[in-house]
Amino acid sequence: MHCSLSVVVALAAAGALAVPAPVQPRTHSDGHSHDKAAWDDGATKDFVIHESCNSTEVIQLRKGLADAVTLADHAKQHILRFGNSSEHYRKYFGDAPSGEAIGYYEKVISGEKGDALFRCDNPDGNCDQPEWGGHWRGENATNETVICPLSYETRRPLEQLCAMGYTVAGNESNTYFGSDLLHRLYHIYAFGDNHVEHFAEDYAGALELAETNSSYATHDSDTLQYFALDVYAYDIAVPGVGCPGTVAEAVSSMETPTSSAMTTPMPAQSPPSYVAETPTPATAGGANGVISAPQVSQIVQVVQLTAN
C-alpha cells in the first residue's frame, strides 16, 4: 500500500511537471511579434452615404437601404427553403437553376459596401428634370448613385407593402424605397457585375421571360425586384395571401406610352447587346437610363427604356 501511494505521488508530480507552457506569440527576426490581421480587415459593412445628404435624407436613405437588404434576404431565404420548386420561383425564374438568383441577393446582403456611394446633391443636373427620383451616374462615376428629392417625398417604407391598394403587378416596382434601391444597387458593378441587366420591360415582360428564356431571368433586374416583393408580400406582409395582382392589371397600368423606343432585331438565340446607361426622362419618379432588353418571343430587341 505504501509503495502504491508512493507511485501515485510520483506520477502526480510528473504530471504537474508535464503541464505545457502557455503559447507565446511568434517572434520574428526583428525581435517583435506580429499579429496577423483578420482576413476581412478593412471591409466596409455599411452602405456609404455622401456628405451632401442632410440628416433627414440620411435617415430615410439608411431605412430604404435596410429595406433593400430585408427584401433580398427574404428572397434568398425563400429560395433556399423551396429551391426552384416554389410556385413563386417558377413564376419569375421558370426552370432556371437557383444559384444565380441566390448569389445576386446575397451580394446585396453581405457584399462589400465600400464600392458604392449614395449622394443627395445634383452633380449632373438630372434632378432638375420633373419626375426624376434618382439615377446611376454611369460613366461620370460608375460607383455613384444620386437620389433626388422626389424619392424622399414619394417612396414608401416596406411596412406599407400591400397597403393602399398596392399590387405587385399593378404598381411600379419603385413604389417602395427598398425595391427602388435594390434596382439601383444592381447598376453598380460591386452588386450587379455588369451582368444584371434589364431584359424585361415590366411585370408582364418578366413573366414572359421566365416562360420563354429563363436563363436571363435570374440576372434580370426587374425580375429580381418583382420576385423579392412578391414573396415578401406572400410570406411576411400578408401571410398566405400577399398582393400579387394580375397580368391584366399590369398591362392596363402600362398602356400609356412613356417614350419612343429604338429597336434592333436580333436572332432569338443571340446574347443580349448591352448599352451603357444614359439618364432619360422617367415616369413615376426615377431614372434608370438607357438599357437593352432581348425580347423573348421570336426576336430579341435592344430597347431604350424609360427610366423608373
Side-chain angles (χ1 to χ4, degrees), residues 14-36:
L17 292 174
V19 173
V23 176
Q24 299 296 324
R26 180 176 296 178
T27 302
H28 293 259
S29 57
D30 58 5
H32 299 286
S33 62
H34 293 242
D35 293 330
K36 185 178 180 180

Side-chain angles (χ1 to χ4, degrees), residues 26-238:
R26 180 176 296 178
T27 302
H28 293 259
S29 57
D30 58 5
H32 299 286
S33 62
H34 293 242
D35 293 330
K36 185 178 180 180
W39 69 269
D40 63 346
D41 187 50
T44 304
K45 299 183 182 299
D46 296 316
F47 290 105
V48 181
I49 298 176
H50 191 258
E51 61 185 7
S52 61
C53 300
N54 64 38
S55 58
T56 302
E57 291 167 336
V58 169
I59 291 170
Q60 292 183 76
L61 194 46
R62 288 219 178 278
K63 175 62 170 65
L65 289 164
D67 285 354
V69 171
T70 297
L71 284 169
D73 184 60
H74 182 71
K76 182 195 75 170
Q77 296 299 335
H78 182 99
I79 299 173
L80 289 173
R81 168 63 181 84
F82 298 107
N84 59 6
S85 65
S86 159
E87 179 181 346
H88 285 90
Y89 184 94
R90 300 193 71 80
K91 174 181 176 181
Y92 290 100
F93 300 119
D95 58 0
S98 62
E100 186 173 51
I102 290 171
Y104 279 117
Y105 288 128
E106 184 61 36
K107 285 176 78 71
V108 171
I109 300 161
S110 305
E112 167 62 36
K113 306 296 194 296
D115 294 329
L117 178 66
F118 290 88
R119 55 193 305 159
C120 303
D121 53 0
N122 190 17
D124 306 313
N126 293 316
C127 291
D128 296 335
Q129 302 183 64
E131 300 185 343
W132 277 54
H135 65 95
W136 174 56
R137 296 196 66 202
E139 293 182 358
N140 292 335
T142 56
N143 68 332
E144 293 187 5
T145 296
V146 176
I147 305 299
C148 301
L150 186 64
S151 283
Y152 302 105
E153 299 166 7
T154 60
R155 302 287 187 246
R156 300 181 192 176
L158 191 55
E159 288 79 4
Q160 291 183 352
L161 187 60
C162 294
M164 296 178 283
Y166 169 87
T167 66
V168 177
N171 291 82
E172 298 285 349
S173 60
N174 65 5
T175 301
Y176 297 92
F177 220 158
S179 54
D180 177 62
L181 291 170
L182 191 62
H183 155 243
R184 298 189 188 282
L185 284 166
Y186 285 134
H187 276 299
I188 298 170
Y189 180 82
F191 301 98
D193 298 323
N194 289 344
H195 185 60
V196 176
E197 290 285 349
H198 291 272
F199 305 116
E201 288 188 58
D202 49 36
Y203 178 83
L207 300 191
E208 183 185 6
L209 192 67
E211 291 180 1
T212 60
N213 206 340
S214 62
S215 62
Y216 289 120
T218 49
H219 57 279
D220 175 66
S221 181
D222 285 349
T223 301
L224 290 166
Q225 293 171 75
Y226 283 126
F227 175 80
L229 287 164
D230 211 349
V231 295
Y232 193 89
Y234 186 86
D235 294 341
I236 306 296
V238 188

Side-chain angles (χ1 to χ4, degrees), residues 278-304:
T278 303
T280 57
T283 61
N288 296 340
V290 176
I291 47 183
S292 54
Q295 299 292 335
V296 292
S297 50
Q298 296 184 359
I299 60 173
V300 179
Q301 297 180 327
V302 178
V303 180
Q304 181 177 353

